[in-house]
Amino acid sequence: MTDQQQVEMTEDQAPEEPPEAGPRRYPSTIGGAFYIAVVLTAAAGLAIIGLGGSWRLGLRVLSGALVAAGLLRLVLRDRDAGMLAVRNRWLDATLVISAAVALTILSIAIPDQPV
């Protein structure tokens, strides 16, 4: 039997993939939906800063999004967390909430600059 015949034979015998039960839902987990909400809120904070609004307000909105992400990571199970889950649950939450606290402290601590 030649190599070409073996390739044709194995292709014919390959198992077919099972059909999906129905159309895929997007996002497929509740964590995915929360992730989208967190990203949109963070984008709103960055838009406030970028469009010339109060940078302090923009940082606080961004910090709020990060705190929400950290708390959601603590509450949701690993299989439901979606893209909020990267590492260990407590490490994820600690890092994200720490970044939020640092941004909030910076927005409070930096004095106003003369124009």
Side-chain angles (χ1 to χ4, degrees), residues 3-4 13 18 28 32 36 40 44 49 56 63 72 78 81 87 92 101 103 105-106 110:
D3 290 336
Q4 181 65 25
Q13 296 173 352
S28 59
I36 291 171
L40 290 175
I49 296 168
R56 292 178 198 272
S63 295
L72 286 167
D78 287 342
R87 300 166 214 86
D92 282 344
V101 169
L103 284 175
I105 290 172
L106 284 174
I110 295 175

Side-chain angles (χ1 to χ4, degrees), residues 32 39 41 47 59 65 77 79 82-83 93 103 106:
V39 168
T41 306
L59 280 182
R77 296 178 294 183
R79 69 179 188 162
M83 291 182 65
L103 284 175
L106 284 174

Side-chain angles (χ1 to χ4, degrees), residues 33-58:
F34 284 130
Y35 178 77
I36 291 171
V38 167
V39 168
L40 290 175
T41 306
L46 292 174
I48 290 170
I49 296 168
L51 296 175
S54 170
W55 63 271
R56 292 178 198 272
L57 174 63

Side-chain angles (χ1 to χ4, degrees), residues 2 17-18 22 40 52 55 73 79 89 110-111 114-115:
T2 65
E17 293 183 17
L40 290 175
W55 63 271
R73 178 64 180 109
R79 69 179 188 162
R89 172 182 289 180
I110 295 175
V115 178

